[in-house]
Structures are given as structure tokens and as C-alpha cells.
């Protein structure tokens, strides 16, 4: 039986744009309202967590979880260049305090995919002053982080560097989609590493939090004869961001699936009835692979699973997937890897970046009434949390 740390975090994750609703000053709002095939659906009211976050937090706490990861929306804090909103800073401060009042540890992300429209219009991460602009926001937001112990600077910079290529296509600034095999833009990736390093410095001075960032890990698997492509793929997609985390206080592992790599790079997931609602292969073992690779490449930065989960309408499959993923986490811990917690993606069914159908939530939401309905998986994960691990076996709630 694997013993997890007494202070192991058991929680769920969310992000502002996917849950709050009416994030009208964010660049994503602009993209999703272009009516392009890239983003067929809009966030709109999302699941109204901007107003209903106390209920969301209470549900997680009642289930027995002890942590909640959420993000602060830059475009609300700084809706125009250099204009900061005191009221919005207060809103997120209340969110931090509400999390604490419910006995949950807040894990706060400062950038989760969305940037203010003015920032992106001015060139976004390609603008020479991008890092300076992000640092100014980080500095301002650090003022409300008193008592927060975990801060993620930027969520999935590798997906930000990839996403920028899709935005280019969506707005007509590029027309070559590389036969559907776009890769993260390495120049943007370098800027994001610099932005992270500066943010770490600012936050280390201004707060007592542990600081890290989170990276999407694909558990890439080579195919025979393509070892060099695998190495290059790992570097372009992930390792440069893992290397950028060396010396941090923690590193956020985000793992969902595994992808094979052929002569032309990552091979798109083949259609399969076992695939999840995002079309990804069902690979709960990806979490173990992600933890091991992160531990290795970061040179042993303590790990926090900041996202892991499955898009499915069958909640028993969510429990099966998570059970297996956690066996891989416990095996990694048994092998000496320092894992500080497990935060499931996602707390709620929410806006999956242009689509609503892939449901990752532990809590279902009626999008007409915004009524929340906890799924059996929430109670199940709460019991795993109270147990601090899978052993003794945690059955389905009655
Ligand atoms: C992101 C989340 C997203 C999830 C599932 C991660 O890439 O951080 O915002 O919803 O994976 O696709």
C-alpha cells in the first residue's frame, strides 16, 4: 500500500473563461464570436460561476475534497492597457477567502489561455513588450495573494504556443494548417518561458506561495525507426517548458492521453469507439508517464497533478479512468517521486474551448437554470480524499 503525504491535496480544477460567463474583454470571446469552424460554439454565460462560485466551492468541500484550483482572469483585472480594476481584484480576493472558509486550499492560476483583447490586438505574446505587460499584471495581482500557498503562473504554455497558430488561421493571418499537424510556435514558447521566469521572481518577492507552472503532457510514444522524430517532438511540445520549470517550487502535471509519433510527428488519434468525447485515446496510464517524465526533465521539482480527467457522458467510466490513473500516481510515489496532490479536471462540466459536448465535470450543470448536480464521481473522489488514497478500496457511493 502506498502512503501519500498527510498534506496531500485532493481537489478539482477549473478556469475562469470556461466557467465564469461573459468574459467580454478576453481575446477568446472575440475568437469564439467570429463564427469560424475552429470555434463552433460560444462561452456566453458559461456556467455563471462568476456569480455562483460559492456554491461550486461548497459542493467540493461537502464531498470531502481539500483543494480547489481556479484562475484569475487577466482581462477582468486589466480590461484596458494599464487600467486595473480594484473591484475585480476584490472579487478574486473574495473567491480566495471563500475557498479558505470552506477548508479548501486555493490553487490559483494567473493565466489560463485567455488574454485581454487589447494585449492580443497589440501582438499578444509576439509583441516585444509582452513579458513586461504580463509582469505588470502579475505584480498587481500579487497584492491579493496573501495566504495563498500555490500559484500557477501560466497554464499550458505549450498549448498557448500552439493555440496562437490556430488563431492565425481563424482570423485569416495564416492559411497553411500543415495538414492538420500544426506545432507549438517555438519563438512564442521562448517568450512564455521568459514571462514565467519573471513572474516567479515577482511572486517570490511579493508572496509566500509556492510558484510553478503547468504543462500539457501527451505521453508521446515513438514508433519504430522514428526515434529522432520522437526526441524532436518531445522537445518542441514539452521539454522546453519542463526545462523552463527547473528550480521552481512545484511543477503542474496535466495528463489525459498518450499519442504516438510517426515520421511526420504526432499521429492524430485514430477513430475508435473507446475514444473519449474529445476524440482522444482512453489512456489513464498517461498520468504515470507524465509524472515520470516531468520528474526527470525538471530535475526533480516536486509535482502537483493540476489536471487529469476524461470527457465522457458515462460517469462510471470517469471513476474507472480516474481509479486507474491514480494507481499510476501511487506507483510513481512508491518509486520515490515527490507528488504533492491530485486535482481532477474538472470541477464542473464547462466550456471546452469552442465546444460544450465534451463533459469533464464531477458536477453537471443545467445551462438554462445553472442548477448544479453533483455526479457520483464527486462523492467517490471525496471518499478517496478522506481515505488519502485508493486503499482500502473505495467503492461506488450508494
Ligand atoms: C486545459 C483545460 C481543458 C482541458 C481539457 C487542458 O488543456 O488546461 O482548459 O479544458 O485540458 O481539454
Amino acid at each position: 500500500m502506498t502512503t501519500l503525504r498527510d498534506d496531500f491535496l485532493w481537489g478539482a480544477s477549473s478556469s475562469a473563461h470556461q466557467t465564469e460567463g461573459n468574459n467580454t474583454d478576453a481575446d477568446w470571446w472575440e475568437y469564439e464570436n467570429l463564427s469560424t469552424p475552429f470555434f463552433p460554439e460560444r462561452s456566453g454565460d458559461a456556467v455563471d460561476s462568476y456569480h455562483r462560485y460559492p456554491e461550486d466551492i461548497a459542493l467540493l468541500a461537502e464531498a470531502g475534497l481539500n483543494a480547489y484550483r481556479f484562475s484569475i482572469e487577466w482581462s477582468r483585472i486589466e480590461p484596458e492597457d494599464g487600467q486595473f480594476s480594484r473591484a475585480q481584484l476584490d472579487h478574486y480576493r473574495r473567491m480566495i477567502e471563500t475557498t479558505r472558509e470552506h477548508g479548501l486550499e486555493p490553487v490559483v492560476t494567473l493565466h489560463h489561455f485567455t488574454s485581454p483583447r487589447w494585449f492580443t490586438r497589440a501582438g499578444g505574446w509576439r509583441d516585444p513588450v509582452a513579458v513586461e505587460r504580463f509582469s505588470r499584471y502579475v505584480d498587481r495581482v500579487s497584492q491579493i495573494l496573501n495566504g495563498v500557498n500555490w500559484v500557477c503562473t501560466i497554464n499550458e504554455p505549450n498549448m498557448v504556443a500552439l493555440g496562437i497558430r490556430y488563431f492565425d488561421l481563424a482570423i485569416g493571418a495564416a492559411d497553411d494548417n500543415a495538414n492538420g499537424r500544426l506545432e507549438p510556435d517555438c519563438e512564442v514558447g521562448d517568450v512564455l518561458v521568459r514571462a514565467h521566469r519573471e513572474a516567479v521572481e515577482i511572486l517570490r518577492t511579493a508572496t509566500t506561495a509556492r510558484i510553478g507552472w503547468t504543462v500539457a503532457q501527451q505521453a508521446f510514444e515513438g514508433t519504430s525507426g522514428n526515434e529522432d522524430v520522437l526526441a524532436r517532438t518531445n522537445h518542441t511540445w514539452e521539454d522546453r517548458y519542463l526545462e523552463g520549470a527547473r528550480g521552481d517550487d512545484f511543477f503542474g502535471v496535466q495528463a489525459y492521453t498518450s499519442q504516438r509519433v510517426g515520421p511526420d510527428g504526432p499521429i492524430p488519434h485514430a477513430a475508435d469507439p473507446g475514444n473519449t468525447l474529445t476524440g482522444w485515446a482512453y489512456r489513464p496510464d498517461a498520468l504515470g508517464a507524465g509524472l515520470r517524465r516531468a520528474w526527470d526533465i525538471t530535475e526533480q521539482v516536486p509535482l502537483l497533478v493540476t489536471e487529469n480527467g476524461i470527457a465522457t457522458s458515462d460517469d462510471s467510466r470517469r471513476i474507472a479512468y480516474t481509479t486507474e490513473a491514480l494507481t499510476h500516481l501511487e506507483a510513481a510515489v512508491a518509486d520515490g517521486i515527490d507528488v504533492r496532490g491530485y486535482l481532477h479536471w474538472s470541477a464542473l462540466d464547462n466550456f471546452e474551448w469552442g465546444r460544450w459536448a465534451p463533459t469533464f465535470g464531477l458536477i453537471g450543470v443545467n445551462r438554462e437554470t445553472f442548477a448544479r448536480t453533483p455526479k457520483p464521481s464527486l462523492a467517490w473522489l471525496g471518499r478517496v480524499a478522506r481515505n488519502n488514497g485508493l486503499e482500502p478500496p473505495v467503492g461506488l457511493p450508494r
Side-chain angles (χ1 to χ4, degrees):
M1 174 177 159
T2 309
T3 307
L4 301 176
R5 300 165 59 101
D6 288 343
D7 59 357
F8 197 83
L9 297 182
W10 289 101
S13 291
S14 69
S15 87
H17 191 71
Q18 293 175 271
T19 57
E20 287 180 344
N22 299 299
N23 232 349
T24 54
D25 290 319
D27 53 2
W28 258 91
W29 183 270
E30 199 162 312
Y31 295 134
E32 73 205 31
N33 282 290
L34 290 175
S35 302
T36 62
F38 296 97
F39 315 111
E41 292 183 292
R42 301 161 194 212
S43 56
D45 283 330
V47 291
D48 196 30
S49 289
Y50 185 80
H51 301 106
R52 290 166 203 260
Y53 70 86
E55 187 184 345
D56 300 341
I57 291 167
L59 288 172
L60 301 178
E62 279 159 24
L65 300 183
N66 63 23
Y68 181 42
R69 172 175 177 236
F70 56 89
S71 74
I72 292 179
E73 177 59 40
W74 181 6
S75 66
R76 289 188 192 266
I77 303 294
E78 192 181 359
E80 293 296 338
D81 187 1
Q83 289 187 25
F84 291 87
S85 165
R86 186 71 246 167
Q88 295 292 348
L89 285 162
D90 288 350
H91 168 85
Y92 289 106
R93 182 64 207 169
R94 281 194 298 278
M95 220 172 148
I96 290 166
E97 283 167 8
T98 304
T99 308
R100 280 233 165 280
E101 281 157 18
H102 282 83
L104 300 180
E105 189 73 41
V107 178
V108 179
T109 305
L110 305 188
H111 185 280
H112 194 122
F113 289 170
T114 47
S115 298
R117 283 185 185 208
W118 62 263
F119 173 83
T120 301
R121 281 201 192 124
W125 295 108
R126 293 185 179 123
D127 190 316
V129 293
V131 175
E132 206 178 295
R133 287 184 164 141
F134 183 65
S135 295
R136 187 178 55 178
Y137 155 70
V138 171
D139 180 56
R140 193 58 70 104
V141 105
S142 70
Q143 296 168 9
I144 61 158
L145 298 177
N146 182 27
V148 173
N149 294 322
W150 301 85
V151 176
C152 312
T153 59
I154 300 172
N155 178 71
E156 296 192 350
N158 49 344
M159 291 301 119
V160 175
L162 177 66
I164 220 161
R165 293 228 150 117
Y166 282 95
F167 300 149
D168 287 345
L169 292 172
I171 62 170
D175 53 13
D176 180 7
N177 79 346
N179 293 322
R181 292 189 168 204
L182 289 171
E183 294 193 325
D185 180 323
C186 289
E187 281 172 29
V188 170
D190 287 346
V191 172
L192 291 163
V193 171
R194 274 202 291 122
H196 170 61
R197 298 275 23 119
E198 274 209 21
V200 170
E201 289 313 308
I202 294 166
L203 294 163
R204 278 192 174 152
T205 307
T207 76
T208 54
R210 297 179 188 85
I211 322 292
W213 71 350
T214 69
V215 172
Q217 295 184 257
Q218 303 297 330
F220 287 122
E221 293 175 337
T223 49
S224 170
N226 296 311
E227 292 71 19
D228 53 335
V229 189
L230 175 66
R232 199 184 69 78
T233 301
N234 268 323
H235 195 257
T236 306
W237 286 76
E238 295 178 10
D239 292 358
R240 57 172 58 231
Y241 304 93
L242 272 64
E243 287 162 10
R246 287 180 185 159
D248 284 356
D249 304 315
F250 77 94
F251 174 79
V253 169
Q254 312 212 144
Y256 293 89
T257 188
S258 167
Q259 227 176 328
R260 292 167 69 233
V261 174
D264 303 321
I267 304 172
H269 297 280
D272 187 286
N275 285 356
T276 71
L277 290 178
T278 37
W280 302 341
Y282 180 90
R283 291 291 299 269
D285 59 326
L287 182 59
L291 287 164
R292 288 168 196 277
R293 186 163 185 86
W295 184 242
D296 184 21
I297 308 286
T298 63
E299 299 177 343
Q300 309 199 345
V301 168
L303 305 178
L304 176 65
V305 178
T306 38
E307 290 186 24
N308 170 252
I310 174 173
T312 178
S313 53
D314 174 357
D315 198 51
S316 62
R317 203 163 185 238
R318 187 177 337 278
I319 294 173
Y321 174 95
T322 311
T323 303
E324 197 179 329
L326 288 174
T327 62
H328 294 286
L329 179 152
E330 292 190 354
V333 172
D335 287 344
I337 297 179
D338 182 0
V339 185
R340 304 295 176 96
Y342 174 86
L343 310 179
H344 190 83
W345 185 271
S346 179
L348 304 137
D349 287 342
N350 61 33
F351 178 64
E352 179 55 23
W353 305 111
R355 291 184 296 163
W356 280 97
T359 44
F360 281 91
L362 299 166
I363 301 169
V365 183
N366 176 321
R367 289 190 39 237
E368 296 297 316
T369 64
F370 303 113
R372 272 74 171 138
T373 307
K375 301 178 190 176
S377 53
L378 176 63
W380 172 82
L381 190 61
R383 291 171 65 192
V384 174
R386 290 197 168 105
N387 215 15
N388 201 24
L390 290 170
E391 296 288 335
V394 179
L396 283 174
R398 286 178 202 283

